[in-house]
Amino acid sequence: MQLVVGRIGRPHGVRGEVSVEVRTDDPELRFAVGTSIATDPAARGPLVIAARRWHKGFLLLAFEGVADRDVAEELRGTMLVIDSAEVTPSDDPDEFHDHQLIGLTVETVAGEPVGEITDVLHHGQDLLVVRRAGADEALIPFVKALVPEVDLKGGRLVVDPPEGLL
């Protein structure tokens, strides 16, 4: 599964640098000089990072073969992606990556089936998007009080929803 670690924004200057919306906890590793990174759409890459710098809180990247503003503009909106196998699992038993949660079966503490996780939203609070059979999607806040158990090996997630959530 591909994971987005950044999105190329507008060009910066006239020498081909681009701003990058960072979507990773480790930009120093993911955007190291010399790194080849895959893209979505795939036809725009892979891109090799030639230079990296921070400017007023924004990450600026230069790629090999991108030497002017016009070429950089063509990259705008391109997603920078990695394979989920490249992500090191966390040592924290209560920390999960989105790709680990997507596809898990959801059931209540009573063992009643709820559905399957299709996405994880990050809007101030993490929300699990659960596809339910014959019903609308459910949004479940990803907090310990509502999600007491995550069993990655068993492929399931247990929820203890308050009245009306589902």
PDB file of all heavy atoms in Angstrom, residues 38-72:
ATOM      1  N   ALA A  38       8.900   7.866  -4.931  1.00  0.00           N
ATOM      2  CA  ALA A  38       7.851   7.585  -5.910  1.00  0.00           C
ATOM      3  C   ALA A  38       6.794   8.685  -5.881  1.00  0.00           C
ATOM      4  O   ALA A  38       6.684   9.435  -4.908  1.00  0.00           O
ATOM      5  CB  ALA A  38       7.211   6.230  -5.602  1.00  0.00           C
ATOM      6  N   THR A  39       6.024   8.761  -6.959  1.00  0.00           N
ATOM      7  CA  THR A  39       5.012   9.803  -7.072  1.00  0.00           C
ATOM      8  C   THR A  39       3.655   9.227  -7.446  1.00  0.00           C
ATOM      9  O   THR A  39       3.557   8.120  -7.963  1.00  0.00           O
ATOM     10  CB  THR A  39       5.401  10.837  -8.148  1.00  0.00           C
ATOM     11  OG1 THR A  39       5.491  10.163  -9.415  1.00  0.00           O
ATOM     12  CG2 THR A  39       6.702  11.521  -7.824  1.00  0.00           C
ATOM     13  N   ASP A  40       2.631   9.999  -7.179  1.00  0.00           N
ATOM     14  CA  ASP A  40       1.278   9.702  -7.643  1.00  0.00           C
ATOM     15  C   ASP A  40       0.750  10.981  -8.258  1.00  0.00           C
ATOM     16  O   ASP A  40       0.580  11.952  -7.522  1.00  0.00           O
ATOM     17  CB  ASP A  40       0.394   9.254  -6.469  1.00  0.00           C
ATOM     18  CG  ASP A  40      -1.006   8.866  -6.924  1.00  0.00           C
ATOM     19  OD1 ASP A  40      -1.222   8.715  -8.142  1.00  0.00           O
ATOM     20  OD2 ASP A  40      -1.889   8.726  -6.055  1.00  0.00           O
ATOM     21  N   PRO A  41       0.598  11.041  -9.560  1.00  0.00           N
ATOM     22  CA  PRO A  41       0.670   9.956 -10.530  1.00  0.00           C
ATOM     23  C   PRO A  41       2.105   9.473 -10.780  1.00  0.00           C
ATOM     24  O   PRO A  41       3.049  10.267 -10.753  1.00  0.00           O
ATOM     25  CB  PRO A  41       0.064  10.556 -11.798  1.00  0.00           C
ATOM     26  CG  PRO A  41       0.192  12.026 -11.654  1.00  0.00           C
ATOM     27  CD  PRO A  41       0.192  12.314 -10.185  1.00  0.00           C
ATOM     28  N   ALA A  42       2.200   8.181 -11.026  1.00  0.00           N
ATOM     29  CA  ALA A  42       3.503   7.533 -11.173  1.00  0.00           C
ATOM     30  C   ALA A  42       4.307   8.084 -12.344  1.00  0.00           C
ATOM     31  O   ALA A  42       5.537   8.074 -12.311  1.00  0.00           O
ATOM     32  CB  ALA A  42       3.313   6.024 -11.321  1.00  0.00           C
ATOM     33  N   ALA A  43       3.634   8.578 -13.376  1.00  0.00           N
ATOM     34  CA  ALA A  43       4.325   9.081 -14.566  1.00  0.00           C
ATOM     35  C   ALA A  43       5.205  10.293 -14.270  1.00  0.00           C
ATOM     36  O   ALA A  43       6.115  10.604 -15.032  1.00  0.00           O
ATOM     37  CB  ALA A  43       3.306   9.439 -15.648  1.00  0.00           C
ATOM     38  N   ARG A  44       4.977  10.979 -13.151  1.00  0.00           N
ATOM     39  CA  ARG A  44       5.772  12.163 -12.808  1.00  0.00           C
ATOM     40  C   ARG A  44       7.043  11.819 -12.035  1.00  0.00           C
ATOM     41  O   ARG A  44       7.818  12.701 -11.686  1.00  0.00           O
ATOM     42  CB  ARG A  44       4.934  13.135 -11.993  1.00  0.00           C
ATOM     43  CG  ARG A  44       3.807  13.735 -12.787  1.00  0.00           C
ATOM     44  CD  ARG A  44       3.084  14.787 -12.007  1.00  0.00           C
ATOM     45  NE  ARG A  44       1.970  15.312 -12.763  1.00  0.00           N
ATOM     46  CZ  ARG A  44       1.031  16.082 -12.254  1.00  0.00           C
ATOM     47  NH1 ARG A  44       1.078  16.424 -10.977  1.00  0.00           N
ATOM     48  NH2 ARG A  44       0.047  16.515 -13.000  1.00  0.00           N
ATOM     49  N   GLY A  45       7.261  10.568 -11.773  1.00  0.00           N
ATOM     50  CA  GLY A  45       8.421  10.196 -10.967  1.00  0.00           C
ATOM     51  C   GLY A  45       9.066   8.953 -11.496  1.00  0.00           C
ATOM     52  O   GLY A  45       8.766   8.514 -12.594  1.00  0.00           O
ATOM     53  N   PRO A  46       9.940   8.363 -10.724  1.00  0.00           N
ATOM     54  CA  PRO A  46      10.338   8.814  -9.391  1.00  0.00           C
ATOM     55  C   PRO A  46      11.192  10.083  -9.481  1.00  0.00           C
ATOM     56  O   PRO A  46      11.806  10.368 -10.504  1.00  0.00           O
ATOM     57  CB  PRO A  46      11.148   7.646  -8.835  1.00  0.00           C
ATOM     58  CG  PRO A  46      11.680   6.946 -10.049  1.00  0.00           C
ATOM     59  CD  PRO A  46      10.652   7.151 -11.128  1.00  0.00           C
ATOM     60  N   LEU A  47      11.202  10.814  -8.379  1.00  0.00           N
ATOM     61  CA  LEU A  47      11.969  12.047  -8.275  1.00  0.00           C
ATOM     62  C   LEU A  47      13.121  11.831  -7.297  1.00  0.00           C
ATOM     63  O   LEU A  47      12.937  11.209  -6.259  1.00  0.00           O
ATOM     64  CB  LEU A  47      11.080  13.189  -7.776  1.00  0.00           C
ATOM     65  CG  LEU A  47       9.913  13.574  -8.688  1.00  0.00           C
ATOM     66  CD1 LEU A  47       8.981  14.539  -7.977  1.00  0.00           C
ATOM     67  CD2 LEU A  47      10.437  14.179  -9.987  1.00  0.00           C
ATOM     68  N   VAL A  48      14.287  12.350  -7.654  1.00  0.00           N
ATOM     69  CA  VAL A  48      15.456  12.247  -6.781  1.00  0.00           C
ATOM     70  C   VAL A  48      15.698  13.616  -6.156  1.00  0.00           C
ATOM     71  O   VAL A  48      15.800  14.628  -6.867  1.00  0.00           O
ATOM     72  CB  VAL A  48      16.712  11.784  -7.556  1.00  0.00           C
ATOM     73  CG1 VAL A  48      17.934  11.764  -6.641  1.00  0.00           C
ATOM     74  CG2 VAL A  48      16.474  10.400  -8.164  1.00  0.00           C
ATOM     75  N   ILE A  49      15.767  13.643  -4.837  1.00  0.00           N
ATOM     76  CA  ILE A  49      15.926  14.905  -4.113  1.00  0.00           C
ATOM     77  C   ILE A  49      17.368  15.384  -4.232  1.00  0.00           C
ATOM     78  O   ILE A  49      18.301  14.705  -3.817  1.00  0.00           O
ATOM     79  CB  ILE A  49      15.504  14.727  -2.641  1.00  0.00           C
ATOM     80  CG1 ILE A  49      14.024  14.339  -2.595  1.00  0.00           C
ATOM     81  CG2 ILE A  49      15.771  16.007  -1.847  1.00  0.00           C
ATOM     82  CD1 ILE A  49      13.525  13.897  -1.252  1.00  0.00           C
ATOM     83  N   ALA A  50      17.522  16.581  -4.817  1.00  0.00           N
ATOM     84  CA  ALA A  50      18.848  17.165  -5.019  1.00  0.00           C
ATOM     85  C   ALA A  50      19.224  18.122  -3.890  1.00  0.00           C
ATOM     86  O   ALA A  50      20.403  18.286  -3.581  1.00  0.00           O
ATOM     87  CB  ALA A  50      18.899  17.904  -6.355  1.00  0.00           C
ATOM     88  N   ALA A  51      18.217  18.762  -3.291  1.00  0.00           N
ATOM     89  CA  ALA A  51      18.479  19.700  -2.196  1.00  0.00           C
ATOM     90  C   ALA A  51      17.224  19.826  -1.352  1.00  0.00           C
ATOM     91  O   ALA A  51      16.106  19.644  -1.845  1.00  0.00           O
ATOM     92  CB  ALA A  51      18.897  21.067  -2.737  1.00  0.00           C
ATOM     93  N   ARG A  52      17.456  20.148  -0.063  1.00  0.00           N
ATOM     94  CA  ARG A  52      16.341  20.315   0.871  1.00  0.00           C
ATOM     95  C   ARG A  52      16.689  21.451   1.817  1.00  0.00           C
ATOM     96  O   ARG A  52      17.822  21.548   2.288  1.00  0.00           O
ATOM     97  CB  ARG A  52      16.138  19.031   1.668  1.00  0.00           C
ATOM     98  CG  ARG A  52      15.101  19.186   2.773  1.00  0.00           C
ATOM     99  CD  ARG A  52      15.118  18.042   3.749  1.00  0.00           C
ATOM    100  NE  ARG A  52      16.312  18.153   4.578  1.00  0.00           N
ATOM    101  CZ  ARG A  52      16.917  17.133   5.139  1.00  0.00           C
ATOM    102  NH1 ARG A  52      16.486  15.919   4.974  1.00  0.00           N
ATOM    103  NH2 ARG A  52      17.992  17.312   5.882  1.00  0.00           N
ATOM    104  N   ARG A  53      15.706  22.302   2.080  1.00  0.00           N
ATOM    105  CA  ARG A  53      15.913  23.350   3.072  1.00  0.00           C
ATOM    106  C   ARG A  53      14.561  23.803   3.605  1.00  0.00           C
ATOM    107  O   ARG A  53      13.530  23.641   2.962  1.00  0.00           O
ATOM    108  CB  ARG A  53      16.698  24.527   2.505  1.00  0.00           C
ATOM    109  CG  ARG A  53      15.974  25.340   1.447  1.00  0.00           C
ATOM    110  CD  ARG A  53      16.901  26.405   0.858  1.00  0.00           C
ATOM    111  NE  ARG A  53      16.245  27.123  -0.209  1.00  0.00           N
ATOM    112  CZ  ARG A  53      15.782  28.363  -0.110  1.00  0.00           C
ATOM    113  NH1 ARG A  53      15.923  29.031   1.022  1.00  0.00           N
ATOM    114  NH2 ARG A  53      15.220  28.956  -1.140  1.00  0.00           N
ATOM    115  N   TRP A  54      14.615  24.354   4.802  1.00  0.00           N
ATOM    116  CA  TRP A  54      13.424  24.912   5.425  1.00  0.00           C
ATOM    117  C   TRP A  54      13.462  26.415   5.230  1.00  0.00           C
ATOM    118  O   TRP A  54      14.515  27.049   5.366  1.00  0.00           O
ATOM    119  CB  TRP A  54      13.380  24.566   6.913  1.00  0.00           C
ATOM    120  CG  TRP A  54      13.151  23.109   7.147  1.00  0.00           C
ATOM    121  CD1 TRP A  54      14.105  22.153   7.331  1.00  0.00           C
ATOM    122  CD2 TRP A  54      11.893  22.436   7.190  1.00  0.00           C
ATOM    123  NE1 TRP A  54      13.520  20.915   7.488  1.00  0.00           N
ATOM    124  CE2 TRP A  54      12.158  21.057   7.404  1.00  0.00           C
ATOM    125  CE3 TRP A  54      10.570  22.844   7.062  1.00  0.00           C
ATOM    126  CZ2 TRP A  54      11.155  20.105   7.505  1.00  0.00           C
ATOM    127  CZ3 TRP A  54       9.563  21.894   7.160  1.00  0.00           C
ATOM    128  CH2 TRP A  54       9.861  20.547   7.379  1.00  0.00           C
ATOM    129  N   HIS A  55      12.330  27.001   4.890  1.00  0.00           N
ATOM    130  CA  HIS A  55      12.230  28.438   4.678  1.00  0.00           C
ATOM    131  C   HIS A  55      10.929  28.938   5.301  1.00  0.00           C
ATOM    132  O   HIS A  55       9.847  28.572   4.840  1.00  0.00           O
ATOM    133  CB  HIS A  55      12.259  28.750   3.177  1.00  0.00           C
ATOM    134  CG  HIS A  55      12.091  30.195   2.836  1.00  0.00           C
ATOM    135  ND1 HIS A  55      13.066  31.119   3.085  1.00  0.00           N
ATOM    136  CD2 HIS A  55      11.056  30.858   2.270  1.00  0.00           C
ATOM    137  CE1 HIS A  55      12.644  32.295   2.674  1.00  0.00           C
ATOM    138  NE2 HIS A  55      11.429  32.173   2.186  1.00  0.00           N
ATOM    139  N   LYS A  56      11.041  29.706   6.383  1.00  0.00           N
ATOM    140  CA  LYS A  56       9.878  30.260   7.085  1.00  0.00           C
ATOM    141  C   LYS A  56       8.863  29.182   7.459  1.00  0.00           C
ATOM    142  O   LYS A  56       7.654  29.349   7.287  1.00  0.00           O
ATOM    143  CB  LYS A  56       9.214  31.347   6.248  1.00  0.00           C
ATOM    144  CG  LYS A  56      10.105  32.540   6.003  1.00  0.00           C
ATOM    145  CD  LYS A  56       9.387  33.636   5.250  1.00  0.00           C
ATOM    146  CE  LYS A  56      10.341  34.799   5.032  1.00  0.00           C
ATOM    147  NZ  LYS A  56       9.701  35.889   4.296  1.00  0.00           N
ATOM    148  N   GLY A  57       9.367  28.045   7.924  1.00  0.00           N
ATOM    149  CA  GLY A  57       8.502  26.965   8.375  1.00  0.00           C
ATOM    150  C   GLY A  57       8.001  26.039   7.274  1.00  0.00           C
ATOM    151  O   GLY A  57       7.261  25.094   7.549  1.00  0.00           O
ATOM    152  N   PHE A  58       8.395  26.295   6.037  1.00  0.00           N
ATOM    153  CA  PHE A  58       7.979  25.448   4.921  1.00  0.00           C
ATOM    154  C   PHE A  58       9.173  24.673   4.389  1.00  0.00           C
ATOM    155  O   PHE A  58      10.290  25.192   4.329  1.00  0.00           O
ATOM    156  CB  PHE A  58       7.394  26.294   3.781  1.00  0.00           C
ATOM    157  CG  PHE A  58       6.084  26.927   4.121  1.00  0.00           C
ATOM    158  CD1 PHE A  58       6.030  28.223   4.588  1.00  0.00           C
ATOM    159  CD2 PHE A  58       4.905  26.216   3.995  1.00  0.00           C
ATOM    160  CE1 PHE A  58       4.823  28.811   4.920  1.00  0.00           C
ATOM    161  CE2 PHE A  58       3.692  26.784   4.317  1.00  0.00           C
ATOM    162  CZ  PHE A  58       3.648  28.085   4.786  1.00  0.00           C
ATOM    163  N   LEU A  59       8.917  23.428   3.964  1.00  0.00           N
ATOM    164  CA  LEU A  59       9.970  22.618   3.361  1.00  0.00           C
ATOM    165  C   LEU A  59      10.049  22.952   1.880  1.00  0.00           C
ATOM    166  O   LEU A  59       9.036  22.961   1.177  1.00  0.00           O
ATOM    167  CB  LEU A  59       9.669  21.126   3.540  1.00  0.00           C
ATOM    168  CG  LEU A  59      10.681  20.169   2.916  1.00  0.00           C
ATOM    169  CD1 LEU A  59      12.054  20.313   3.569  1.00  0.00           C
ATOM    170  CD2 LEU A  59      10.195  18.729   3.043  1.00  0.00           C
ATOM    171  N   LEU A  60      11.259  23.226   1.418  1.00  0.00           N
ATOM    172  CA  LEU A  60      11.513  23.456   0.002  1.00  0.00           C
ATOM    173  C   LEU A  60      12.423  22.343  -0.495  1.00  0.00           C
ATOM    174  O   LEU A  60      13.425  22.024   0.154  1.00  0.00           O
ATOM    175  CB  LEU A  60      12.177  24.814  -0.226  1.00  0.00           C
ATOM    176  CG  LEU A  60      11.393  26.043   0.215  1.00  0.00           C
ATOM    177  CD1 LEU A  60      12.218  27.304  -0.008  1.00  0.00           C
ATOM    178  CD2 LEU A  60      10.060  26.131  -0.506  1.00  0.00           C
ATOM    179  N   LEU A  61      12.059  21.755  -1.626  1.00  0.00           N
ATOM    180  CA  LEU A  61      12.859  20.691  -2.227  1.00  0.00           C
ATOM    181  C   LEU A  61      13.248  21.072  -3.641  1.00  0.00           C
ATOM    182  O   LEU A  61      12.494  21.744  -4.347  1.00  0.00           O
ATOM    183  CB  LEU A  61      12.079  19.373  -2.286  1.00  0.00           C
ATOM    184  CG  LEU A  61      11.689  18.699  -0.983  1.00  0.00           C
ATOM    185  CD1 LEU A  61      10.922  17.411  -1.269  1.00  0.00           C
ATOM    186  CD2 LEU A  61      12.904  18.408  -0.133  1.00  0.00           C
ATOM    187  N   ALA A  62      14.433  20.604  -4.045  1.00  0.00           N
ATOM    188  CA  ALA A  62      14.871  20.677  -5.436  1.00  0.00           C
ATOM    189  C   ALA A  62      15.077  19.236  -5.884  1.00  0.00           C
ATOM    190  O   ALA A  62      15.575  18.406  -5.121  1.00  0.00           O
ATOM    191  CB  ALA A  62      16.166  21.470  -5.553  1.00  0.00           C
ATOM    192  N   PHE A  63      14.645  18.941  -7.106  1.00  0.00           N
ATOM    193  CA  PHE A  63      14.769  17.593  -7.647  1.00  0.00           C
ATOM    194  C   PHE A  63      15.747  17.592  -8.812  1.00  0.00           C
ATOM    195  O   PHE A  63      15.832  18.573  -9.569  1.00  0.00           O
ATOM    196  CB  PHE A  63      13.414  17.071  -8.128  1.00  0.00           C
ATOM    197  CG  PHE A  63      12.378  16.974  -7.047  1.00  0.00           C
ATOM    198  CD1 PHE A  63      11.321  17.876  -6.995  1.00  0.00           C
ATOM    199  CD2 PHE A  63      12.452  15.995  -6.075  1.00  0.00           C
ATOM    200  CE1 PHE A  63      10.358  17.795  -6.005  1.00  0.00           C
ATOM    201  CE2 PHE A  63      11.498  15.908  -5.067  1.00  0.00           C
ATOM    202  CZ  PHE A  63      10.448  16.805  -5.041  1.00  0.00           C
ATOM    203  N   GLU A  64      16.465  16.494  -8.965  1.00  0.00           N
ATOM    204  CA  GLU A  64      17.354  16.343 -10.112  1.00  0.00           C
ATOM    205  C   GLU A  64      16.544  16.470 -11.391  1.00  0.00           C
ATOM    206  O   GLU A  64      15.442  15.912 -11.503  1.00  0.00           O
ATOM    207  CB  GLU A  64      18.068  14.988 -10.057  1.00  0.00           C
ATOM    208  CG  GLU A  64      19.087  14.888  -8.949  1.00  0.00           C
ATOM    209  CD  GLU A  64      19.808  13.552  -8.911  1.00  0.00           C
ATOM    210  OE1 GLU A  64      19.631  12.718  -9.828  1.00  0.00           O
ATOM    211  OE2 GLU A  64      20.560  13.336  -7.940  1.00  0.00           O
ATOM    212  N   GLY A  65      17.046  17.230 -12.350  1.00  0.00           N
ATOM    213  CA  GLY A  65      16.379  17.393 -13.633  1.00  0.00           C
ATOM    214  C   GLY A  65      15.294  18.460 -13.656  1.00  0.00           C
ATOM    215  O   GLY A  65      14.694  18.709 -14.693  1.00  0.00           O
ATOM    216  N   VAL A  66      15.030  19.080 -12.517  1.00  0.00           N
ATOM    217  CA  VAL A  66      14.029  20.153 -12.453  1.00  0.00           C
ATOM    218  C   VAL A  66      14.800  21.436 -12.168  1.00  0.00           C
ATOM    219  O   VAL A  66      15.145  21.731 -11.033  1.00  0.00           O
ATOM    220  CB  VAL A  66      12.974  19.888 -11.355  1.00  0.00           C
ATOM    221  CG1 VAL A  66      11.971  21.031 -11.293  1.00  0.00           C
ATOM    222  CG2 VAL A  66      12.270  18.558 -11.599  1.00  0.00           C
ATOM    223  N   ALA A  67      15.087  22.185 -13.254  1.00  0.00           N
ATOM    224  CA  ALA A  67      15.996  23.321 -13.120  1.00  0.00           C
ATOM    225  C   ALA A  67      15.333  24.683 -13.288  1.00  0.00           C
ATOM    226  O   ALA A  67      16.003  25.697 -13.173  1.00  0.00           O
ATOM    227  CB  ALA A  67      17.130  23.183 -14.129  1.00  0.00           C
ATOM    228  N   ASP A  68      14.032  24.717 -13.591  1.00  0.00           N
ATOM    229  CA  ASP A  68      13.398  26.028 -13.733  1.00  0.00           C
ATOM    230  C   ASP A  68      11.963  25.993 -13.219  1.00  0.00           C
ATOM    231  O   ASP A  68      11.398  24.938 -12.947  1.00  0.00           O
ATOM    232  CB  ASP A  68      13.456  26.533 -15.181  1.00  0.00           C
ATOM    233  CG  ASP A  68      12.667  25.680 -16.157  1.00  0.00           C
ATOM    234  OD1 ASP A  68      11.508  25.322 -15.867  1.00  0.00           O
ATOM    235  OD2 ASP A  68      13.210  25.377 -17.237  1.00  0.00           O
ATOM    236  N   ARG A  69      11.405  27.167 -13.086  1.00  0.00           N
ATOM    237  CA  ARG A  69      10.075  27.343 -12.504  1.00  0.00           C
ATOM    238  C   ARG A  69       8.980  26.645 -13.325  1.00  0.00           C
ATOM    239  O   ARG A  69       8.047  26.086 -12.769  1.00  0.00           O
ATOM    240  CB  ARG A  69       9.769  28.832 -12.368  1.00  0.00           C
ATOM    241  CG  ARG A  69       8.485  29.128 -11.658  1.00  0.00           C
ATOM    242  CD  ARG A  69       8.291  30.625 -11.457  1.00  0.00           C
ATOM    243  NE  ARG A  69       7.104  30.889 -10.681  1.00  0.00           N
ATOM    244  CZ  ARG A  69       7.073  30.977  -9.362  1.00  0.00           C
ATOM    245  NH1 ARG A  69       8.172  30.823  -8.654  1.00  0.00           N
ATOM    246  NH2 ARG A  69       5.941  31.209  -8.731  1.00  0.00           N
ATOM    247  N   ASP A  70       9.086  26.658 -14.641  1.00  0.00           N
ATOM    248  CA  ASP A  70       8.056  26.050 -15.489  1.00  0.00           C
ATOM    249  C   ASP A  70       7.967  24.540 -15.261  1.00  0.00           C
ATOM    250  O   ASP A  70       6.881  23.978 -15.159  1.00  0.00           O
ATOM    251  CB  ASP A  70       8.324  26.342 -16.963  1.00  0.00           C
ATOM    252  CG  ASP A  70       8.151  27.816 -17.311  1.00  0.00           C
ATOM    253  OD1 ASP A  70       7.402  28.514 -16.578  1.00  0.00           O
ATOM    254  OD2 ASP A  70       8.780  28.270 -18.286  1.00  0.00           O
ATOM    255  N   VAL A  71       9.107  23.873 -15.193  1.00  0.00           N
ATOM    256  CA  VAL A  71       9.118  22.423 -14.943  1.00  0.00           C
ATOM    257  C   VAL A  71       8.599  22.148 -13.530  1.00  0.00           C
ATOM    258  O   VAL A  71       7.829  21.210 -13.308  1.00  0.00           O
ATOM    259  CB  VAL A  71      10.534  21.835 -15.149  1.00  0.00           C
ATOM    260  CG1 VAL A  71      10.556  20.359 -14.808  1.00  0.00           C
ATOM    261  CG2 VAL A  71      11.001  22.060 -16.581  1.00  0.00           C
ATOM    262  N   ALA A  72       9.001  22.979 -12.577  1.00  0.00           N
ATOM    263  CA  ALA A  72       8.533  22.815 -11.192  1.00  0.00           C
ATOM    264  C   ALA A  72       7.014  22.977 -11.118  1.00  0.00           C
ATOM    265  O   ALA A  72       6.345  22.256 -10.383  1.00  0.00           O
ATOM    266  CB  ALA A  72       9.230  23.817 -10.284  1.00  0.00           C
TER     267      ALA A  72
END
